[in-house]
Amino acid sequence: METSERISPENITTENEYLIYLCHVFSYVAASKNIAHGSFVLDVGCGNGYGTSMLSKNSANIIGLDVDKKTINRATMKYKSKNCSFQYYDGQTLPFADSAFDAITSLQVIEHVKNEQRYLWEIHRVLKPGGIFILTTPNKTYRIGKTMKPWNKYHLREYFPYELLDIVKK
């Protein structure tokens, strides 16, 4: 399923791909500073897995999920370790028990999701009470006008901050 730009650090060929990669790395570095050492972490929309691997350095255990089986296979081959694994999921129901994770990241993903309410509800369901959810997405304020379509062909939508806050609060 082709749902997004699949950036691999070793295969960057354009300036645009490099900028996307840097944005992702920055998001993962920032997330790692906000997740307690030794947490059980879920990375929803892990892509090629380099960010999940970055978060594994401080996690007791981390699972990277993605909707593309080939991408999960590549991530597993390259980044799997004793505390870092990867798993395919259907994009609908997270395959975990309620309140399973201390922290959940989903970085540069929500703009690709068809049903963002279900996506957020599933994350809420598997996050422990008092757990941390870290979400990043492009800020529409700085990217496109109100009537313009997202520049990235894989983005179904982009959000103004107030829009994202309203959706997350629900």
Side-chain angles (χ1 to χ4, degrees):
M1 176 186 301
E2 191 64 28
T3 60
S4 69
E5 59 283 301
R6 301 285 179 181
I7 305 296
S8 294
E10 63 278 355
N11 294 329
I12 293 172
T13 59
T14 67
E15 186 175 284
N16 190 48
E17 287 175 347
Y18 185 63
L19 292 173
I20 291 168
Y21 169 72
L22 289 177
C23 180
H24 289 181
V25 168
F26 178 83
S27 297
Y28 278 102
V29 168
S32 70
K33 293 176 181 177
N34 290 286
I35 297 173
H37 184 75
S39 293
F40 186 27
V41 181
L42 179 64
D43 186 19
V44 180
C46 68
N48 287 321
Y50 58 85
T52 310
S53 178
M54 290 171 62
L55 292 177
S56 75
K57 306 300 183 250
N58 292 323
S59 303
N61 194 4
I62 186 166
I63 299 170
L65 289 184
D66 205 277
V67 297
D68 186 83
K69 290 179 182 179
K70 288 180 184 176
T71 299
I72 287 298
N73 290 338
R74 283 192 300 269
T76 299
M77 297 284 289
K78 185 159 179 86
Y79 296 109
K80 183 180 179 185
S81 67
K82 72 175 188 168
N83 73 323
C84 181
S85 62
F86 298 91
Q87 188 174 327
Y88 166 81
Y89 90 111
D90 65 8
Q92 298 295 314
T93 303
L94 295 173
F96 304 103
D98 295 357
S99 304
F101 295 92
D102 300 308
I104 299 176
T105 58
S106 193
L107 310 179
Q108 306 299 104
V109 173
I110 194 171
E111 65 274 12
H112 301 273
V113 175
K114 286 182 185 172
N115 185 342
E116 75 259 0
Q117 286 294 247
R118 180 178 176 111
Y119 154 86
L120 290 168
W121 176 252
E122 278 294 296
I123 287 170
H124 180 264
R125 180 184 65 77
V126 301
L127 184 63
K128 288 181 179 176
I132 183 171
F133 173 46
I134 300 172
L135 168 82
T136 63
T137 189
N139 183 340
K140 190 174 180 179
T141 304
Y142 300 111
R143 301 184 41 92
I144 57 180
K146 289 182 181 182
T147 60
M148 294 174 68
K149 292 182 179 180
W151 66 270
N152 185 315
K153 68 180 181 178
Y154 298 109
H155 291 184
L156 300 177
R157 76 196 71 70
E158 292 181 353
Y159 302 90
F160 290 108
Y162 68 89
E163 292 173 316
L164 186 61
L165 188 59
D166 286 346
I167 290 167
V168 171
K169 281 182 177 180
K170 289 178 186 175

